[in-house]
Amino acid sequence: MNPGVATPTWRVPAPVAAVLARLPTLPPSALAAAALNRVAARYADAESLAPLEGKAVRVSVTDAGVTITVRCVRGKFTPGTRGVTPTATIAASLADFVALATRREDPDTLFFARRLMLEGDTEASLAMRNLLDRVDVAPLAAWLTRVVARR
């Protein structure tokens, strides 16, 4: 473990994760696809989405038991299902995803600390990361910070 990276201070409780893991994957995947389409419409062009074309990216929230899969088809994101084989998989705890979204942690730091796992197509993973890095996260960061502080 990298001594410069703090350990997450909270995790999704096991009983909550057990319930979340049993929920269907389509609703959160559809929500993620809709959100990504809004982000792509504002922050991306055809060239930046090209590495994602025809590929499925799976995001796994390890401590919550939640898996989200999206595919990029003709520059638009669509929800995937559990049966779709991902081209790339990104996995981390919910606390680490919140830290990434609020920009309190750098993806490279979490990756080298083995708290962010990337598997599969590196180009697709980097394209997704670059797309999300363009988003103005200040409003999201403020909201997520308030949610986490209530815990």
Side-chain angles (χ1 to χ4, degrees):
M1 185 164 165
N2 183 342
V5 180
T7 303
T9 57
W10 56 275
R11 294 183 57 79
V12 173
V16 173
V19 171
L20 292 174
R22 293 179 187 193
L23 295 175
T25 60
L26 186 58
S29 295
L31 182 62
L36 284 168
N37 282 326
R38 290 190 64 143
V39 168
R42 184 167 183 180
Y43 298 103
D45 56 20
E47 184 179 332
S48 64
L49 293 176
L52 293 166
E53 185 59 38
K55 298 178 181 173
V57 176
R58 181 162 291 156
V59 177
S60 176
V61 184
T62 56
D63 61 334
V66 174
T67 299
I68 297 167
T69 305
V70 294
R71 292 187 63 209
C72 185
V73 179
R74 291 186 295 281
K76 299 287 182 198
F77 291 94
T78 61
T81 61
R82 284 187 193 233
V84 172
T85 302
T87 306
T89 300
I90 303 166
S93 70
L94 181 59
D96 287 331
F97 278 124
V98 169
L100 287 169
T102 57
R103 299 208 170 127
R104 286 183 288 135
E105 291 283 1
D106 176 76
D108 293 333
T109 302
L110 292 181
F111 177 78
F112 288 113
R114 298 180 185 226
R115 289 174 37 201
L116 175 66
M117 290 145 292
L118 301 173
E119 296 177 348
D121 187 327
T122 305
E123 185 180 25
S125 297
L126 290 175
M128 183 67 77
R129 173 187 157 183
N130 292 339
L131 173 62
L132 295 174
D133 276 347
R134 292 183 187 126
V135 177
D136 175 15
V137 296
L140 175 64
W143 178 78
L144 286 172
T145 301
R146 285 192 306 275
V147 169
V148 170
R150 288 185 192 149
R151 225 183 155 270

